[in-house]
Amino acid sequence: AQSVSQHNHHVILSEAASLELGCNYSYGGTVNLFWYVQYPGQHLQLLLKYFSGDPLVKGIKGFEAEFIKSKFSFNLRKPSVQWSDTAEYFCAVIVGAGSYQLTFGKGTKLSVIP
Amino acid sequence: NAGVMQNPRHLVRRRGQEARLRCSPMKGHSHVYWYRQLPEEGLKFMVYLQKENIIDESGMPKERFSAEFPKEGPSILRIQQVVRGDSAAYFCASSPRGQLNSYNEQFFGPGTRLTVL
């Protein structure tokens, strides 16, 4: 079965620092990749997704992610974080075309210090 | 346009009781998915339903768990005779179509946190 690994459980950054959250998946076939964010007390929201085309995907709120097939990775980046980015971030994958079962990583908590 | 609604947000049950979790999908969405997040784990798929039909329940425990999505009203996830190991966050998502692609996504509710004493 496929799995998703998020390397960091908790990341603490100061405002304006750059962010990179790691995500690796364990499936060699066609995958589609997602990053979701959950702000405190709120529901999961989609930040960005990759299905095909340019492996550098731009999402909402200044986030981007790069799909590197050879490394089975889909790392999330933001050049300059803000206090409002404090949240939990989840990487997820679906395998194959026509699928609907999202497989999530364990999540990374990001705390941004003003 | 209201998002996916789940209630209750928090539910406390004693061992052996029943838990009923409700999910109202976004307007116009006829596809509903339930996921469970155990402590320190990622969300795991449980079941996929369309109106009045269970499409895929491969992630659902074989005993004590059931789900429905009636023609009228919310989707219900029912857990009978709860045990401590059922303590988790249960998330519902909905989508206008079943397959995830560039034009379709699952919209998540805020989750129900079930605590079994």
Side-chain angles (χ1 to χ4, degrees), chain A residues 19-38:
Chain A
L19 169 72
E20 181 159 3
L21 300 181
C23 172
N24 287 90
Y25 60 92
S26 65
Y27 185 76
T30 301
V31 293
N32 300 299
L33 298 146
F34 305 77
W35 275 98
Y36 283 85
V37 61
Q38 187 173 29

PDB file of all heavy atoms in Angstrom, chain A residues 19-38:
ATOM      1  N   LEU A  19      10.355  28.794   4.302  1.00  0.00           N
ATOM      2  CA  LEU A  19       9.776  27.528   4.756  1.00  0.00           C
ATOM      3  C   LEU A  19       9.967  26.465   3.687  1.00  0.00           C
ATOM      4  O   LEU A  19       9.759  26.717   2.494  1.00  0.00           O
ATOM      5  CB  LEU A  19       8.282  27.706   5.014  1.00  0.00           C
ATOM      6  CG  LEU A  19       7.462  26.433   5.252  1.00  0.00           C
ATOM      7  CD1 LEU A  19       7.782  25.852   6.617  1.00  0.00           C
ATOM      8  CD2 LEU A  19       5.969  26.725   5.134  1.00  0.00           C
ATOM      9  N   GLU A  20      10.350  25.274   4.121  1.00  0.00           N
ATOM     10  CA  GLU A  20      10.277  24.110   3.252  1.00  0.00           C
ATOM     11  C   GLU A  20       9.855  22.929   4.095  1.00  0.00           C
ATOM     12  O   GLU A  20      10.524  22.576   5.074  1.00  0.00           O
ATOM     13  CB  GLU A  20      11.598  23.805   2.555  1.00  0.00           C
ATOM     14  CG  GLU A  20      11.487  22.591   1.626  1.00  0.00           C
ATOM     15  CD  GLU A  20      12.560  22.528   0.558  1.00  0.00           C
ATOM     16  OE1 GLU A  20      13.446  23.400   0.548  1.00  0.00           O
ATOM     17  OE2 GLU A  20      12.499  21.606  -0.279  1.00  0.00           O
ATOM     18  N   LEU A  21       8.733  22.326   3.738  1.00  0.00           N
ATOM     19  CA  LEU A  21       8.222  21.136   4.430  1.00  0.00           C
ATOM     20  C   LEU A  21       8.368  19.953   3.501  1.00  0.00           C
ATOM     21  O   LEU A  21       7.916  19.990   2.354  1.00  0.00           O
ATOM     22  CB  LEU A  21       6.755  21.324   4.829  1.00  0.00           C
ATOM     23  CG  LEU A  21       6.440  22.492   5.760  1.00  0.00           C
ATOM     24  CD1 LEU A  21       4.946  22.520   6.077  1.00  0.00           C
ATOM     25  CD2 LEU A  21       7.252  22.422   7.025  1.00  0.00           C
ATOM     26  N   GLY A  22       8.971  18.889   4.013  1.00  0.00           N
ATOM     27  CA  GLY A  22       9.229  17.727   3.182  1.00  0.00           C
ATOM     28  C   GLY A  22       8.060  16.770   3.104  1.00  0.00           C
ATOM     29  O   GLY A  22       7.285  16.618   4.058  1.00  0.00           O
ATOM     30  N   CYS A  23       7.917  16.133   1.947  1.00  0.00           N
ATOM     31  CA  CYS A  23       6.899  15.110   1.744  1.00  0.00           C
ATOM     32  C   CYS A  23       7.449  14.096   0.756  1.00  0.00           C
ATOM     33  O   CYS A  23       7.870  14.468  -0.343  1.00  0.00           O
ATOM     34  CB  CYS A  23       5.611  15.734   1.194  1.00  0.00           C
ATOM     35  SG  CYS A  23       4.373  14.518   0.702  1.00  0.00           S
ATOM     36  N   ASN A  24       7.439  12.831   1.148  1.00  0.00           N
ATOM     37  CA  ASN A  24       7.831  11.751   0.250  1.00  0.00           C
ATOM     38  C   ASN A  24       6.733  10.706   0.216  1.00  0.00           C
ATOM     39  O   ASN A  24       6.048  10.486   1.224  1.00  0.00           O
ATOM     40  CB  ASN A  24       9.136  11.096   0.710  1.00  0.00           C
ATOM     41  CG  ASN A  24      10.332  11.974   0.449  1.00  0.00           C
ATOM     42  OD1 ASN A  24      10.712  12.783   1.287  1.00  0.00           O
ATOM     43  ND2 ASN A  24      10.914  11.839  -0.727  1.00  0.00           N
ATOM     44  N   TYR A  25       6.580  10.081  -0.930  1.00  0.00           N
ATOM     45  CA  TYR A  25       5.556   9.049  -1.060  1.00  0.00           C
ATOM     46  C   TYR A  25       6.230   7.772  -1.547  1.00  0.00           C
ATOM     47  O   TYR A  25       7.326   7.784  -2.097  1.00  0.00           O
ATOM     48  CB  TYR A  25       4.444   9.501  -2.020  1.00  0.00           C
ATOM     49  CG  TYR A  25       4.952   9.800  -3.405  1.00  0.00           C
ATOM     50  CD1 TYR A  25       4.976   8.824  -4.391  1.00  0.00           C
ATOM     51  CD2 TYR A  25       5.421  11.073  -3.719  1.00  0.00           C
ATOM     52  CE1 TYR A  25       5.459   9.090  -5.648  1.00  0.00           C
ATOM     53  CE2 TYR A  25       5.923  11.350  -4.977  1.00  0.00           C
ATOM     54  CZ  TYR A  25       5.933  10.351  -5.934  1.00  0.00           C
ATOM     55  OH  TYR A  25       6.438  10.628  -7.177  1.00  0.00           O
ATOM     56  N   SER A  26       5.545   6.663  -1.367  1.00  0.00           N
ATOM     57  CA  SER A  26       6.162   5.367  -1.666  1.00  0.00           C
ATOM     58  C   SER A  26       5.362   4.615  -2.718  1.00  0.00           C
ATOM     59  O   SER A  26       4.883   3.512  -2.453  1.00  0.00           O
ATOM     60  CB  SER A  26       6.239   4.516  -0.398  1.00  0.00           C
ATOM     61  OG  SER A  26       4.927   4.213   0.041  1.00  0.00           O
ATOM     62  N   TYR A  27       5.208   5.205  -3.880  1.00  0.00           N
ATOM     63  CA  TYR A  27       4.520   4.486  -4.952  1.00  0.00           C
ATOM     64  C   TYR A  27       5.165   4.855  -6.262  1.00  0.00           C
ATOM     65  O   TYR A  27       5.434   6.023  -6.512  1.00  0.00           O
ATOM     66  CB  TYR A  27       3.025   4.839  -4.965  1.00  0.00           C
ATOM     67  CG  TYR A  27       2.252   4.037  -5.968  1.00  0.00           C
ATOM     68  CD1 TYR A  27       1.931   2.706  -5.730  1.00  0.00           C
ATOM     69  CD2 TYR A  27       1.863   4.605  -7.170  1.00  0.00           C
ATOM     70  CE1 TYR A  27       1.246   1.959  -6.655  1.00  0.00           C
ATOM     71  CE2 TYR A  27       1.165   3.867  -8.099  1.00  0.00           C
ATOM     72  CZ  TYR A  27       0.855   2.546  -7.843  1.00  0.00           C
ATOM     73  OH  TYR A  27       0.174   1.812  -8.767  1.00  0.00           O
ATOM     74  N   GLY A  28       5.446   3.868  -7.102  1.00  0.00           N
ATOM     75  CA  GLY A  28       6.194   4.125  -8.315  1.00  0.00           C
ATOM     76  C   GLY A  28       5.359   4.445  -9.533  1.00  0.00           C
ATOM     77  O   GLY A  28       5.906   4.832 -10.553  1.00  0.00           O
ATOM     78  N   GLY A  29       4.054   4.294  -9.443  1.00  0.00           N
ATOM     79  CA  GLY A  29       3.212   4.533 -10.611  1.00  0.00           C
ATOM     80  C   GLY A  29       2.742   5.977 -10.680  1.00  0.00           C
ATOM     81  O   GLY A  29       3.341   6.879 -10.101  1.00  0.00           O
ATOM     82  N   THR A  30       1.673   6.185 -11.406  1.00  0.00           N
ATOM     83  CA  THR A  30       1.117   7.534 -11.547  1.00  0.00           C
ATOM     84  C   THR A  30       0.518   7.996 -10.226  1.00  0.00           C
ATOM     85  O   THR A  30      -0.293   7.293  -9.626  1.00  0.00           O
ATOM     86  CB  THR A  30       0.009   7.545 -12.620  1.00  0.00           C
ATOM     87  OG1 THR A  30       0.569   7.101 -13.852  1.00  0.00           O
ATOM     88  CG2 THR A  30      -0.564   8.947 -12.778  1.00  0.00           C
ATOM     89  N   VAL A  31       0.948   9.149  -9.781  1.00  0.00           N
ATOM     90  CA  VAL A  31       0.405   9.699  -8.538  1.00  0.00           C
ATOM     91  C   VAL A  31      -0.048  11.130  -8.770  1.00  0.00           C
ATOM     92  O   VAL A  31       0.461  11.814  -9.658  1.00  0.00           O
ATOM     93  CB  VAL A  31       1.432   9.692  -7.376  1.00  0.00           C
ATOM     94  CG1 VAL A  31       1.763   8.284  -6.942  1.00  0.00           C
ATOM     95  CG2 VAL A  31       2.684  10.454  -7.754  1.00  0.00           C
ATOM     96  N   ASN A  32      -0.980  11.537  -8.003  1.00  0.00           N
ATOM     97  CA  ASN A  32      -1.404  12.926  -7.967  1.00  0.00           C
ATOM     98  C   ASN A  32      -1.238  13.406  -6.530  1.00  0.00           C
ATOM     99  O   ASN A  32      -1.527  12.663  -5.590  1.00  0.00           O
ATOM    100  CB  ASN A  32      -2.850  13.063  -8.433  1.00  0.00           C
ATOM    101  CG  ASN A  32      -3.006  12.563  -9.854  1.00  0.00           C
ATOM    102  OD1 ASN A  32      -2.391  13.080 -10.771  1.00  0.00           O
ATOM    103  ND2 ASN A  32      -3.818  11.545 -10.042  1.00  0.00           N
ATOM    104  N   LEU A  33      -0.781  14.622  -6.361  1.00  0.00           N
ATOM    105  CA  LEU A  33      -0.286  15.058  -5.056  1.00  0.00           C
ATOM    106  C   LEU A  33      -0.959  16.340  -4.599  1.00  0.00           C
ATOM    107  O   LEU A  33      -1.314  17.194  -5.419  1.00  0.00           O
ATOM    108  CB  LEU A  33       1.231  15.275  -5.140  1.00  0.00           C
ATOM    109  CG  LEU A  33       1.985  13.992  -5.482  1.00  0.00           C
ATOM    110  CD1 LEU A  33       3.189  14.270  -6.335  1.00  0.00           C
ATOM    111  CD2 LEU A  33       2.387  13.267  -4.208  1.00  0.00           C
ATOM    112  N   PHE A  34      -1.122  16.451  -3.291  1.00  0.00           N
ATOM    113  CA  PHE A  34      -1.861  17.557  -2.702  1.00  0.00           C
ATOM    114  C   PHE A  34      -1.157  18.042  -1.438  1.00  0.00           C
ATOM    115  O   PHE A  34      -0.508  17.266  -0.736  1.00  0.00           O
ATOM    116  CB  PHE A  34      -3.269  17.091  -2.271  1.00  0.00           C
ATOM    117  CG  PHE A  34      -4.078  16.443  -3.364  1.00  0.00           C
ATOM    118  CD1 PHE A  34      -3.822  15.142  -3.757  1.00  0.00           C
ATOM    119  CD2 PHE A  34      -5.110  17.142  -3.977  1.00  0.00           C
ATOM    120  CE1 PHE A  34      -4.576  14.549  -4.765  1.00  0.00           C
ATOM    121  CE2 PHE A  34      -5.864  16.549  -4.970  1.00  0.00           C
ATOM    122  CZ  PHE A  34      -5.600  15.255  -5.363  1.00  0.00           C
ATOM    123  N   TRP A  35      -1.326  19.306  -1.141  1.00  0.00           N
ATOM    124  CA  TRP A  35      -1.030  19.845   0.170  1.00  0.00           C
ATOM    125  C   TRP A  35      -2.296  20.507   0.703  1.00  0.00           C
ATOM    126  O   TRP A  35      -2.920  21.327   0.015  1.00  0.00           O
ATOM    127  CB  TRP A  35       0.100  20.880   0.125  1.00  0.00           C
ATOM    128  CG  TRP A  35       1.472  20.279   0.186  1.00  0.00           C
ATOM    129  CD1 TRP A  35       2.297  20.018  -0.861  1.00  0.00           C
ATOM    130  CD2 TRP A  35       2.185  19.875   1.356  1.00  0.00           C
ATOM    131  NE1 TRP A  35       3.484  19.476  -0.421  1.00  0.00           N
ATOM    132  CE2 TRP A  35       3.429  19.375   0.948  1.00  0.00           C
ATOM    133  CE3 TRP A  35       1.888  19.892   2.725  1.00  0.00           C
ATOM    134  CZ2 TRP A  35       4.393  18.896   1.842  1.00  0.00           C
ATOM    135  CZ3 TRP A  35       2.839  19.423   3.616  1.00  0.00           C
ATOM    136  CH2 TRP A  35       4.079  18.934   3.172  1.00  0.00           C
ATOM    137  N   TYR A  36      -2.647  20.121   1.940  1.00  0.00           N
ATOM    138  CA  TYR A  36      -3.762  20.728   2.644  1.00  0.00           C
ATOM    139  C   TYR A  36      -3.240  21.463   3.874  1.00  0.00           C
ATOM    140  O   TYR A  36      -2.200  21.098   4.438  1.00  0.00           O
ATOM    141  CB  TYR A  36      -4.757  19.660   3.119  1.00  0.00           C
ATOM    142  CG  TYR A  36      -5.653  19.096   2.049  1.00  0.00           C
ATOM    143  CD1 TYR A  36      -5.227  18.038   1.243  1.00  0.00           C
ATOM    144  CD2 TYR A  36      -6.940  19.612   1.846  1.00  0.00           C
ATOM    145  CE1 TYR A  36      -6.062  17.522   0.261  1.00  0.00           C
ATOM    146  CE2 TYR A  36      -7.775  19.087   0.868  1.00  0.00           C
ATOM    147  CZ  TYR A  36      -7.324  18.047   0.086  1.00  0.00           C
ATOM    148  OH  TYR A  36      -8.154  17.533  -0.882  1.00  0.00           O
ATOM    149  N   VAL A  37      -3.979  22.465   4.305  1.00  0.00           N
ATOM    150  CA  VAL A  37      -3.631  23.192   5.517  1.00  0.00           C
ATOM    151  C   VAL A  37      -4.846  23.215   6.450  1.00  0.00           C
ATOM    152  O   VAL A  37      -5.988  23.288   5.992  1.00  0.00           O
ATOM    153  CB  VAL A  37      -3.169  24.638   5.190  1.00  0.00           C
ATOM    154  CG1 VAL A  37      -4.269  25.435   4.494  1.00  0.00           C
ATOM    155  CG2 VAL A  37      -2.707  25.364   6.445  1.00  0.00           C
ATOM    156  N   GLN A  38      -4.566  23.111   7.735  1.00  0.00           N
ATOM    157  CA  GLN A  38      -5.634  23.223   8.729  1.00  0.00           C
ATOM    158  C   GLN A  38      -5.235  24.289   9.734  1.00  0.00           C
ATOM    159  O   GLN A  38      -4.331  24.073  10.562  1.00  0.00           O
ATOM    160  CB  GLN A  38      -5.891  21.887   9.429  1.00  0.00           C
ATOM    161  CG  GLN A  38      -7.100  21.923  10.345  1.00  0.00           C
ATOM    162  CD  GLN A  38      -7.453  20.561  10.915  1.00  0.00           C
ATOM    163  OE1 GLN A  38      -6.597  19.701  11.090  1.00  0.00           O
ATOM    164  NE2 GLN A  38      -8.716  20.353  11.200  1.00  0.00           N
TER     165      GLN A  38
END
